[in-house]
Amino acid sequence: MERVTAGGVLQLALAGAGVLLLFRILTRLRPGASLQDAVVVITGASSGLGKECARVFHAAGARLVLCGRDAARLQQVVQELTASSTGSQQQTHIPSTVVFDLADRDTVDGAAQEILRCHGHVDVLISNAGISYRGNILDTHISVQRDVMETNYFGPIALTQALLPSMVRRRSGHVVVISSVQGKIAIPFRSAYAASKHATQAYFDCLRAEVERYGIHVSVISPGYIRTNLSVNAVTGDGSKYGVLDRNTAQGRDPAHVAQAVLKAVRQRSKDVVLAGPLPSLAIYLRTLWPALFFKLMSSRACKEQKPKDE
C-alpha cells in the first residue's frame, strides 16, 4: 500500500479547499427563495446573533416568532424592529414573541404549541440559543457537562421534534441550527461545548437524511468566533460565569455578517455551512486526513495554555 506523505496530505487538503471554494462560488449564483410572509421562528432572539438574525429576516418580510427567556428584552427587540421598518418599501410584519427556557424540557412542548398558534404553522425554525463553556475537564463537575448539553443539544432537538410533525403534515419546512466549528473539531478546555456541538451536528445530519422525502430542508451553520457576549456568559467547571471577553471572541466575525450568511443559507437551502477563516477550515480537513498531527497540535496547545484563559 502506498504510503501517504505529509506533502500528499497537504495537497489533498488544498484540493479539498479548492473544491469547497468552487462550490461556494457556484452557490452564490443560484437564485434564492423569497421569505416574504414566511413564518420564521428564532430562539435566543433577544441578543447577539439571534437578535441580528431577527433584523435580517424581518427586513426580508418574514413573519417572526421571537423566542427567549426574557420577555422585556424580547419586547425591546420587537420595538426596535418595528421602528426600523418605518418608511421601508419592503412589506414587514410586527413580530410575535414566545417566552420560555429552552433548557427546561418540561416547557418546550407547550412553547411549541404557542408558537404554532401564532400563525398556524412554521416555515423556518432557527435554533440559535446556546451557552458556551471554559474549563479543565479535571475540575469540571459532571452537572456542568449535563447543563451545557441540556441547553445546546437537548433543548434544540426537543423543540425541533415538537414542531416537526406539523412540517411533515404540510410536506414543507426548513430547520436551521447554529452549531460551531467546534462541532467539527474539538479544542482543549471546551469539552462541554464541543461535545454538545458535535452531538448537534450528528443529530441534524441524521434528521436531514430522514426528512428530505417530506420536502423538509435542514441546514447546519458552523461559525468560528463571533463578536458577541458568548464567552462572557460562558460557564466554568463549577458552574459560575466565566465573565471574560476572549481576545478571539472580541476579534471575531460581526454578528450582522453571520446573520446575513444564515439568511443566505435559508434562501439557498444550503445543507452545511462553515463560516471560518483559513486556519480553522484547514484544521477541519487535518482532523479527517491526518488525525495524528491534529491530535499532536491540540496536545501542544493544551500544554501551552495550562488552564482556560484569554486565548
Side-chain angles (χ1 to χ4, degrees), residues 7 11-12 21-22 26 61 67 77-78 92 99 107 131 143-144 167 171 233 242 254 263 271 291 298 310:
Q11 286 180 342
L12 286 173
L21 178 60
L22 178 60
L26 293 174
C67 304
V77 175
V78 170
T92 59
V99 180
T107 68
I131 188 170
S143 63
V144 173
M167 292 184 176
R171 311 224 35 113
N233 296 322
Y242 184 58
D254 185 337
L263 177 69
K271 291 179 171 60
M298 291 302 102
D310 189 83

Side-chain angles (χ1 to χ4, degrees), residues 98 100 107-117 122 158-159 162-163:
V98 176
F100 71 105
T107 68
V108 172
D109 285 342
Q113 294 307 310
E114 189 175 348
I115 288 169
L116 288 171
R117 283 194 292 270
V122 172
L159 183 59
L163 294 174

Side-chain angles (χ1 to χ4, degrees), residues 95-107:
S96 304
T97 62
V98 176
V99 180
F100 71 105
D101 185 353
L102 199 63
D104 184 356
R105 274 186 283 166
D106 293 335
T107 68

Side-chain angles (χ1 to χ4, degrees), residues 293-308:
L293 177 58
F294 176 82
F295 297 147
K296 182 73 174 176
L297 291 172
M298 291 302 102
S299 178
S300 176
R301 174 172 175 158
C303 288
K304 288 179 181 179
E305 291 190 16
Q306 298 281 317
K307 60 181 181 179

Side-chain angles (χ1 to χ4, degrees), residues 140-221:
T140 299
H141 196 277
I142 192 65
S143 63
V144 173
Q145 302 278 4
R146 290 182 184 278
D147 288 346
V148 174
M149 190 67 75
E150 198 71 52
T151 298
N152 291 357
Y153 175 69
F154 285 110
I157 72 169
L159 183 59
T160 297
Q161 293 190 189
L163 294 174
L164 198 57
S166 67
M167 292 184 176
V168 171
R169 285 193 296 270
R170 297 180 69 241
R171 311 224 35 113
S172 176
H174 194 153
V175 178
V176 181
V177 61
I178 308 300
S179 183
S180 168
V181 166
Q182 291 183 52
K184 296 182 180 292
I185 56 173
I187 63 175
F189 308 116
R190 304 289 190 277
S191 61
Y193 185 74
S196 69
K197 293 303 184 179
H198 272 70
T200 295
Q201 178 80 52
Y203 174 90
F204 285 95
D205 281 352
C206 291
L207 179 67
R208 182 187 303 109
E210 293 182 23
V211 301
E212 186 174 11
R213 70 184 113 169
Y214 302 115
I216 298 171
H217 304 279
V218 176
S219 299
V220 178
I221 314 295

